[in-house]
Amino acid sequence: MTINTTPPELPRVTTGPLPASTKVWKAGTLHPDIRVPMREIALHPSAGEPNVRVYDASGPYTDAEAAIDTATGLPRPREAWIDARGDTETYEGRRIRPEDNGRDGASGKLRPFPRAHAPRRATGDRPVTQLAYARAASSHPKWNMSRSARTWAATPALARPRDGESFGAAIPDHVTPEFVRDEIARGRAIIPANINHPELEPMIIGRNFLVKINANIGNSAVTSSMEEEVEKMVWATRWGADTVMDLSTGRDIHDIRDWILRNSPVPIGTVPLYQALEKVGGIAEDLTWEVFRDTLIEQAEQGVDYFTIHAGLRLHHVPLTIDRVTGIVSRGGSIMAKWCLHHHRESFLYEHFEEICAICRRYDVSFSLGDGLRPGSIADANDAAQFAELETLGELTQIAWKHDCQVMIEGPGHVAMHKIKENMDKQLECCDEAPFYTLGPLTTDIAPGYDHITSGIGAAMIGWFGCAMLCYVTPKEHLGLPDRDDVKTGVITYKIAAHAADLAKGHPGAQIRDDALSRARFEFRWEDQFNLALDPDTARSMHDETLPKDAHKTAHFCSMCGPKFCSMRISHDIRSEAQKEGMAKMAEKFRESGALYLPETDA
Amino acid sequence: MTINTTPPELPRVTTGPLPASTKVWKAGTLHPDIRVPMREIALHPSAGEPNVRVYDASGPYTDAEAAIDTATGLPRPREAWIDARGDTETYEGRRIRPEDNGRDGASGKLRPFPRAHAPRRATGDRPVTQLAYARAASSHPKWNMSRSARTWAATPALARPRDGESFGAAIPDHVTPEFVRDEIARGRAIIPANINHPELEPMIIGRNFLVKINANIGNSAVTSSMEEEVEKMVWATRWGADTVMDLSTGRDIHDIRDWILRNSPVPIGTVPLYQALEKVGGIAEDLTWEVFRDTLIEQAEQGVDYFTIHAGLRLHHVPLTIDRVTGIVSRGGSIMAKWCLHHHRESFLYEHFEEICAICRRYDVSFSLGDGLRPGSIADANDAAQFAELETLGELTQIAWKHDCQVMIEGPGHVAMHKIKENMDKQLECCDEAPFYTLGPLTTDIAPGYDHITSGIGAAMIGWFGCAMLCYVTPKEHLGLPDRDDVKTGVITYKIAAHAADLAKGHPGAQIRDDALSRARFEFRWEDQFNLALDPDTARSMHDETLPKDAHKTAHFCSMCGPKFCSMRISHDIRSEAQKEGMAKMAEKFRESGALYLPETDA
């Protein structure tokens, strides 16, 4: 891997392919100019099996051929397609104001992203959402929809019969554009893709597709910078983040978001309330619908692909939290609760929800309806407050759908294992199978410093049960802002959880990579084992700690057991012996039923 | 924490209490001289709640008052009790031979443990096992049984109604000595406690008790030393390992085991086959019952508390593995399979199983019946080979019980989530609820370097479903021998899995620590939050990366969100406001049913 060399004041991001990997493209059949990117992992010739193609959300950064310049931003391949639809217009857009970057004295000193693109919106108030197109069975959105099926295009013929328990999901053997369209139209999947984020490589989120993961990044008032956050975004997608949320709450958040969006190949989500709060100097009570609305338009024009909106938190829910161990732990939820109580009225998010829909449909910003009352401790899981809000989120889902807006639903939080399935089942029921998007859940409170693990357990389980996207938790959760290393640990942990869920759901093709890696392991193709791993660098360096030489890369043992005790080596001996002797015949000879001790036989 | 200062050639081990922790002792009522050790975590006076007592398997090393000298070994408090039973005798014991430490030229250079204790065995062939005593309802073993109930003694009155799904376990509200005895007599729990390991603090393994974890240590022919392995044992118990397996397969394994046993407060398990193989120069085919038997007696005299014996692998099972992706991945299993095939006969472990029982019952060595055919890849999970062996393990359980031997059963391995419960259910059925003891299972094959996480997911689930002890997996699994850092990561990950399982099963009192930590978190008692964590050192250092000052330890925010966005701080504001206004009244005022938008009301 190399660090590209933009001038020092520009973000330096990690580029170059992963080990033994090449970016390959599969062209569409209907539209040959639509190319789906995949990562092909080359195996050693001795493997005698095809290279392995895996899902690849990392964009041009891992393409050896791509020229990366963070000050220019990524290419905008969707722009021409969107334009060709003929249902949008570019316009001057909202003027950037100083408070967009915060009110404190140190704000506004960041270099703005150098290239301004005129924003685009729907002409009139027509919907330009993937949901509207899917419902109309329009041909326009095929570009998005075909590309979203990229995982499946990468799937060779199934190696073995499907095997899994999907709890009522409807996962097909092969994903077709029609299936994608049906799932979108049904509201059971979304393609977050703001028309102002044409750098995006579209992807799909829904329970009948591979489980996706999100990585949260963003500065806080205490720490970090634009440069660090742009690199975190690139770094997160390098390791497999399917979407990234920019949760910046410190200075310069308009400009930081611009830098991130223009360089992001994956959908970017935000919580617009955070910026709105900055605009009113951090005083929750001073928030207004007008400031919030202004922020929505600002961010929609920039290209944010999905908005977390805490509109499900209602005034009468707040008292339900009074006896909780940890109160309200959602930042957005606590801000809105405070606002509601102070003003003694329903939140402006709830009251103006239809107006919010009217904005989102003009840019195709998807909803991620926030769970402001998610439990922050094992004690508070699945309580009345949480489920009351979930029911409201179900109502809001119907309203959003009425406006042709795409919706997913956020979920907890901290939940002991025996209460996880109830969350999933209740969400499916209340929200009519709109995609669920959960933070963990953490299965215990007692391991700060390891909450990627406490939550990885819950994430794998809820992914299996039907959750469509898992929001990562890093080791720093509850303790501090994650740095680059924490981001990687969080992403890899959640790729594990998502993949474990795909296997358990019986996704066709999910096991291909496991099988290829296990064969490599059994055949002592160490390099193939490393290269097929979610994190080849770490696998290799751990091995090399004790056996660094090249010769060790074909050795029939490792330092864990040493040569005499390598079970896999012995297994090979057994197979050779069996081939000589005819193992099936031997088995027959020694099979018995009932008697514990067989009489000894001569060799 | 301090490192004690024995002379350089002796193992240097980590001693001293964990942060804010004191070793406390609860004296028995029937036998006041029996003291159960616990760890009391002091909370800040502002907490206004009692200090928290937690299970503590770390022995004298975390006792500020204890003098530790690894060349002397730990005190032997059980010795007098065992002697007082009057059913054992000391005797000269087997003579140590050079090949006990291996046949290679570099072996036998280690300093033997300086203090030789005469071994003890049952007089005649009477059983001196906890199972025999429990069946006889003898009063002798109460010492062990009472101490094994230490967790429960630490449990104050239940803070909340019990809540959980135990899948048919029979977990009582309060554990009594009678309950312990009944569970032992039923074979549903074991107390591994060799009469030659009187340094041990007894503990219990069974599905109706807290889920336990095991840490594997031991050198290999490629790397590590006695000093490192003794420290790994102490280090593992410091972080919560309930038992330790010494899986040494390199040089000097007799002497290394002596050093470990004499210094271990927890049960030590081994795989005697590894040493037997060393005695025959590493040639599996040259193994004999006589060499194996000799090794069992050698290790029983040293004080090994449980033996992994792969007696369930039968000759006719081996061909069932021929089409597997990863063959036989258990070291013991592959050695025995090779032996069986070479000699064309049943293994000597299976044929001589009753003689093995006769040895174990004289020393109270428990069985850990090995799963030599556990799956080594997702593809091989729950296959015919694995389940055929499990059925044989069920037969062997009955034979062991007939001889009054304590038994647990080892389990997989690599298993996708949807196949985990089948493993647990089948084990309960085949083995009549003898405790299950599983390695993970790993829920995917694609993350070498992170297999503590892939397996922690499976471990939490199978612990919930009824598994009694979880064998840890470290980040180095498949890649190399774990070092001290890997041991800690493995132990903490598995403490998380075990605790998540205890919560989900609804163990009374399990949630006390979660609740105390969550209250500390909500009240910004940062020090209490760190001290209550499974790993206080890591929690504190992660927090201090961005906010190192003392004043930050009472700050009402951290660097993750910064002061304006701390939801917990805002929650406190909400509560204050609510107290002023009368929140319940307010809720009433604003409650509505049906209408989405409320008419605005005056503040």
Side-chain angles (χ1 to χ4, degrees):
Chain A
M1 125 183 33
T2 59
I3 303 283
N4 85 316
T5 52
T6 45
E9 76 272 24
L10 296 177
R12 296 162 60 90
V13 297
T14 306
T15 61
L18 271 76
S21 295
T22 315
K23 178 107 29 186
V24 295
W25 305 87
K26 190 168 168 82
T29 42
L30 279 176
H31 300 276
D33 54 331
I34 298 175
R35 302 188 313 159
V36 179
M38 286 173 285
R39 176 161 71 97
E40 182 167 305
I41 303 168
L43 303 185
H44 190 272
S46 69
E49 57 180 283
N51 293 340
V52 176
R53 291 188 170 190
V54 299
Y55 192 95
D56 181 5
S58 61
Y61 300 101
T62 51
D63 184 351
E65 310 298 318
I68 301 295
D69 174 0
T70 54
T72 306
L74 293 179
R76 297 161 65 91
R78 285 173 65 231
E79 200 155 39
W81 277 82
I82 293 166
D83 193 56
R85 287 180 200 152
D87 53 3
T88 59
E89 61 189 9
T90 56
Y91 67 112
E92 192 179 352
R94 174 185 172 284
R95 188 133 93 225
I96 305 308
R97 292 190 287 266
E99 64 264 34
D100 298 348
N101 280 307
R103 287 182 171 279
D104 93 25
S107 296
K109 297 193 168 48
L110 184 67
R111 173 179 171 176
F113 183 77
R115 280 203 183 182
H117 298 281
R120 182 184 293 275
R121 67 183 171 199
T123 49
D125 69 345
R126 77 174 70 193
V128 294
T129 66
Q130 296 293 318
L131 176 53
Y133 296 134
R135 283 173 167 171
S138 153
S139 67
H140 293 312
K142 278 191 178 152
W143 194 87
N144 282 354
M145 292 184 183
S146 301
R147 280 178 71 116
S148 70
R150 58 181 165 187
T151 312
W152 305 103
T155 303
L158 294 181
R160 56 181 75 244
R162 283 181 61 174
D163 166 30
E165 165 58 60
S166 73
F167 298 106
I171 304 164
D173 282 346
H174 297 282
V175 171
T176 60
E178 291 67 36
F179 179 76
V180 172
R181 194 200 58 209
D182 290 346
E183 289 291 295
I184 300 286
R186 166 73 180 74
R188 202 148 61 181
I190 68 171
I191 296 177
N194 186 323
I195 57 175
N196 289 309
H197 187 201
E199 299 88 351
L200 177 79
E201 294 177 1
M203 50 77 72
I204 195 163
I205 301 167
R207 71 186 289 215
N208 294 320
F209 300 89
L210 291 175
V211 175
K212 303 304 189 300
I213 69 165
N214 171 70
N216 290 336
I217 62 167
N219 72 346
S220 77
V222 177
T223 185
S224 196
S225 65
M226 178 274 281
E227 291 79 5
E228 288 172 80
E229 297 309 315
V230 171
E231 164 61 358
K232 277 188 205 167
M233 177 275 290
V234 173
W235 185 241
T237 59
R238 179 177 186 85
W239 299 112
D242 295 293
T243 79
V244 166
M245 289 194 79
D246 173 15
L247 302 185
S248 290
T249 56
R251 294 175 191 123
D252 303 316
I253 55 185
H254 176 95
D255 285 339
I256 290 177
R257 189 167 50 237
D258 235 14
W259 280 96
I260 291 172
L261 274 163
R262 297 290 72 81
N263 286 288
S264 174
V266 301
I268 297 293
T270 62
V271 185
L273 195 65
Y274 297 171
Q275 190 184 10
L277 189 67
E278 289 294 330
K279 289 182 182 175
V280 296
I283 312 296
E285 300 86 324
D286 290 353
L287 283 164
T288 63
W289 162 240
E290 289 69 28
V291 168
F292 188 76
R293 180 180 179 283
D294 172 68
T295 307
L296 292 182
I297 290 171
E298 173 188 349
Q299 297 197 9
E301 290 180 349
Q302 281 185 293
V304 171
D305 301 290
Y306 61 91
F307 286 157
T308 292
I309 307 269
H310 296 91
L313 191 159
R314 299 200 50 192
L315 180 56
H316 70 267
H317 297 156
V318 181
L320 299 175
T321 67
I322 204 72
D323 292 324
R324 278 182 159 187
V325 168
T326 46
I328 300 176
V329 297
S330 150
R331 296 188 275 189
S334 64
I335 293 163
M336 289 315 303
K338 192 171 188 193
W339 189 95
C340 291
L341 286 189
H342 181 84
H343 295 282
H344 283 213
R345 56 183 290 186
E346 288 292 350
S347 89
F348 53 82
L349 300 176
Y350 183 76
E351 293 196 334
H352 294 275
F353 189 69
E354 297 202 83
E355 289 161 84
I356 297 172
C357 293
I359 294 168
C360 288
R361 67 192 238 132
R362 292 192 77 183
Y363 301 90
D364 200 5
V365 180
S366 298
F367 280 112
S368 180
L369 293 177
D371 57 332
L373 298 179
R374 69 168 174 269
S377 55
I378 293 296
D380 296 342
N382 296 22
D383 71 353
Q386 185 198 337
F387 284 154
E389 184 189 39
L390 182 56
E391 284 167 20
T392 307
L393 296 180
E395 294 171 34
L396 297 173
T397 299
Q398 298 296 331
I399 294 170
W401 283 349
K402 192 180 75 184
H403 291 273
D404 289 319
C405 291
Q406 303 189 90
V407 186
M408 58 182 172
I409 309 293
E410 295 184 10
H414 292 236
V415 185
M417 284 191 286
H418 64 298
K419 293 182 175 173
I420 292 176
K421 192 154 190 303
E422 183 182 10
N423 272 276
M424 189 68 237
D425 292 345
K426 198 162 170 67
Q427 189 274 344
L428 290 171
E429 183 198 326
C430 290
C431 303
D432 201 9
E433 296 190 78
F436 204 23
Y437 167 33
T438 58
L439 181 73
L442 288 70
T443 53
T444 162
D445 303 338
I446 66 169
Y450 298 81
D451 279 332
H452 58 306
I453 300 177
T454 66
S455 69
I457 295 166
M461 291 174 70
I462 204 160
W464 176 24
F465 299 153
C467 187
M469 187 157 77
L470 309 171
C471 182
Y472 85 174
V473 172
T474 78
K476 286 276 173 59
E477 184 76 15
H478 301 114
L479 298 169
L481 195 74
D483 62 19
R484 191 169 171 276
D485 289 342
D486 299 317
V487 165
K488 178 174 175 182
T489 302
V491 168
I492 299 283
T493 302
Y494 273 67
K495 288 299 280 184
I496 290 169
H499 185 70
D502 289 334
L503 287 175
K505 287 170 81 172
H507 261 290
Q511 201 179 309
I512 289 169
R513 188 171 180 179
D514 296 79
D515 292 350
L517 190 144
S518 290
R519 281 190 296 268
R521 182 173 280 159
F522 190 64
E523 293 165 9
F524 301 101
R525 286 182 276 115
W526 288 97
E527 295 284 354
D528 287 354
Q529 185 184 161
F530 304 150
N531 294 336
L532 287 162
L534 282 179
D535 178 359
D537 300 342
T538 296
R540 185 186 312 270
S541 73
M542 283 190 178
H543 176 268
D544 287 1
E545 275 179 37
T546 44
L547 295 173
K549 294 183 193 159
D550 274 355
H552 294 142
K553 299 299 187 301
T554 51
H556 282 201
F557 62 92
C558 74
S559 71
M560 186 165 177
C561 310
K564 266 186 293 200
F565 286 90
C566 180
S567 60
M568 293 203 179
R569 188 186 62 71
I570 299 172
S571 273
H572 284 281
D573 295 347
I574 291 171
R575 290 199 179 174
S576 312
E577 189 140 359
Q579 276 159 358
K580 278 188 302 192
E581 301 290 334
M583 197 179 260
K585 191 160 150 254
M586 206 160 52
E588 198 56 45
K589 186 170 160 198
F590 286 94
R591 194 175 311 276
E592 52 76 57
S593 54
L596 183 57
Y597 293 119
L598 271 183
E600 294 187 11
T601 54
D602 291 332
Chain B
M1 126 189 22
T2 58
I3 304 282
N4 86 316
T5 52
T6 44
E9 76 273 22
L10 296 178
R12 295 163 61 90
V13 296
T14 307
T15 61
L18 271 76
S21 295
T22 315
K23 177 105 33 185
V24 295
W25 305 86
K26 190 166 167 81
T29 43
L30 279 177
H31 300 277
D33 54 332
I34 298 175
R35 303 188 312 160
V36 179
M38 286 173 285
R39 176 160 72 95
E40 182 167 303
I41 303 169
L43 303 186
H44 190 272
S46 70
E49 58 181 283
N51 293 340
V52 176
R53 291 187 171 191
V54 299
Y55 192 95
D56 180 5
S58 61
Y61 300 101
T62 52
D63 185 351
E65 310 299 318
I68 301 294
D69 175 0
T70 53
T72 306
L74 293 179
R76 297 161 66 91
R78 283 174 66 233
E79 200 156 37
W81 278 81
I82 293 166
D83 192 56
R85 286 181 202 152
D87 54 5
T88 59
E89 61 189 9
T90 54
Y91 66 113
E92 190 177 356
R94 177 186 171 284
R95 187 131 93 226
I96 305 308
R97 291 189 287 266
E99 65 264 33
D100 298 348
N101 280 307
R103 287 184 169 277
D104 92 22
S107 297
K109 298 197 167 43
L110 184 67
R111 172 178 171 175
F113 183 77
R115 277 205 184 183
H117 298 280
R120 181 183 295 273
R121 66 184 170 198
T123 49
D125 70 345
R126 75 173 73 192
V128 293
T129 66
Q130 296 293 320
L131 176 53
Y133 296 133
R135 283 173 166 171
S138 152
S139 66
H140 293 314
K142 276 189 181 155
W143 195 85
N144 282 353
M145 292 183 184
S146 302
R147 281 177 72 117
S148 71
R150 57 183 167 186
T151 312
W152 306 101
T155 305
L158 294 182
R160 55 182 74 246
R162 285 180 62 174
D163 166 29
E165 165 57 59
S166 73
F167 297 106
I171 303 164
D173 282 346
H174 297 282
V175 171
T176 59
E178 291 66 36
F179 180 76
V180 173
R181 195 200 57 206
D182 289 346
E183 289 292 294
I184 299 285
R186 166 74 180 74
R188 203 148 60 183
I190 69 170
I191 295 177
N194 186 324
I195 56 174
N196 289 309
H197 187 199
E199 299 88 352
L200 177 79
E201 294 177 0
M203 50 78 71
I204 194 163
I205 301 166
R207 71 184 290 213
N208 294 320
F209 300 88
L210 291 175
V211 176
K212 303 305 189 297
I213 69 165
N214 171 70
N216 290 337
I217 62 167
N219 73 346
S220 78
V222 178
T223 186
S224 196
S225 66
M226 178 275 282
E227 292 77 5
E228 287 172 82
E229 297 309 315
V230 171
E231 164 61 358
K232 277 188 203 166
M233 177 275 292
V234 173
W235 186 239
T237 59
R238 179 177 187 85
W239 298 112
D242 295 293
T243 78
V244 166
M245 288 194 80
D246 173 15
L247 301 185
S248 290
T249 57
R251 294 177 192 119
D252 304 317
I253 55 186
H254 176 95
D255 284 339
I256 290 177
R257 190 166 50 237
D258 233 17
W259 279 96
I260 290 172
L261 274 163
R262 297 289 74 81
N263 285 288
S264 174
V266 301
I268 297 294
T270 62
V271 185
L273 195 65
Y274 297 171
Q275 190 183 11
L277 189 67
E278 289 293 332
K279 289 182 183 177
V280 297
I283 311 296
E285 299 86 324
D286 290 352
L287 283 164
T288 63
W289 160 241
E290 288 70 29
V291 168
F292 187 77
R293 180 180 179 282
D294 173 68
T295 308
L296 292 182
I297 290 171
E298 174 189 348
Q299 298 197 10
E301 289 180 351
Q302 281 185 293
V304 170
D305 300 291
Y306 62 91
F307 286 156
T308 293
I309 307 269
H310 296 91
L313 191 158
R314 301 200 48 192
L315 180 57
H316 69 268
H317 297 156
V318 181
L320 299 174
T321 67
I322 203 75
D323 292 325
R324 280 182 158 187
V325 168
T326 45
I328 299 176
V329 298
S330 150
R331 296 189 275 190
S334 64
I335 292 164
M336 289 316 301
K338 192 171 186 193
W339 189 94
C340 291
L341 287 188
H342 180 84
H343 295 284
H344 284 211
R345 57 184 287 183
E346 288 292 350
S347 88
F348 54 81
L349 301 176
Y350 182 77
E351 294 195 336
H352 293 276
F353 189 69
E354 295 203 83
E355 290 162 80
I356 298 173
C357 293
I359 294 169
C360 288
R361 66 192 239 135
R362 291 193 79 182
Y363 301 90
D364 200 5
V365 180
S366 298
F367 280 111
S368 180
L369 294 176
D371 58 333
L373 299 179
R374 69 169 174 267
S377 56
I378 293 297
D380 295 343
N382 296 23
D383 71 353
Q386 185 198 338
F387 285 156
E389 184 189 38
L390 182 55
E391 285 167 20
T392 307
L393 296 181
E395 295 171 34
L396 296 174
T397 300
Q398 298 298 331
I399 294 171
W401 283 348
K402 192 181 76 184
H403 290 274
D404 288 317
C405 291
Q406 302 189 93
V407 187
M408 59 183 171
I409 310 292
E410 294 184 10
H414 292 236
V415 185
M417 283 191 287
H418 64 296
K419 294 182 175 174
I420 292 176
K421 190 151 191 303
E422 184 183 8
N423 272 277
M424 188 69 236
D425 292 346
K426 198 165 170 65
Q427 189 273 344
L428 290 172
E429 182 198 326
C430 289
C431 303
D432 201 10
E433 295 189 79
F436 204 23
Y437 166 34
T438 59
L439 181 73
L442 287 72
T443 54
T444 161
D445 303 338
I446 67 170
Y450 299 80
D451 278 331
H452 59 306
I453 299 176
T454 66
S455 69
I457 294 166
M461 292 174 70
I462 204 160
W464 176 25
F465 299 152
C467 188
M469 186 156 78
L470 309 171
C471 182
Y472 85 173
V473 172
T474 79
K476 286 276 174 59
E477 185 74 16
H478 301 114
L479 298 170
L481 195 75
D483 63 19
R484 190 169 171 274
D485 289 343
D486 299 317
V487 165
K488 180 174 174 182
T489 302
V491 167
I492 298 284
T493 302
Y494 273 68
K495 288 299 282 185
I496 289 169
H499 185 70
D502 289 334
L503 287 175
K505 288 171 80 172
H507 261 289
Q511 202 179 308
I512 289 170
R513 189 170 178 180
D514 296 79
D515 292 350
L517 189 145
S518 289
R519 281 191 295 269
R521 182 173 279 159
F522 190 64
E523 292 165 11
F524 301 101
R525 287 182 273 116
W526 287 97
E527 295 283 355
D528 287 354
Q529 186 185 159
F530 304 150
N531 294 336
L532 286 162
L534 282 179
D535 178 0
D537 300 341
T538 296
R540 183 186 313 269
S541 72
M542 283 191 178
H543 176 269
D544 287 2
E545 275 179 37
T546 45
L547 295 173
K549 294 182 191 162
D550 275 355
H552 294 142
K553 300 298 187 302
T554 51
H556 282 203
F557 62 91
C558 74
S559 71
M560 187 165 179
C561 309
K564 266 186 291 202
F565 284 90
C566 180
S567 58
M568 292 202 180
R569 187 186 62 70
I570 299 172
S571 273
H572 284 281
D573 294 348
I574 290 172
R575 291 199 178 174
S576 312
E577 190 139 358
Q579 276 160 359
K580 279 189 300 197
E581 301 289 336
M583 196 179 262
K585 189 156 153 262
M586 204 161 53
E588 198 57 45
K589 186 169 159 198
F590 286 95
R591 195 176 307 278
E592 54 74 60
S593 56
L596 184 55
Y597 293 120
L598 272 181
E600 294 187 10
T601 53
D602 291 334

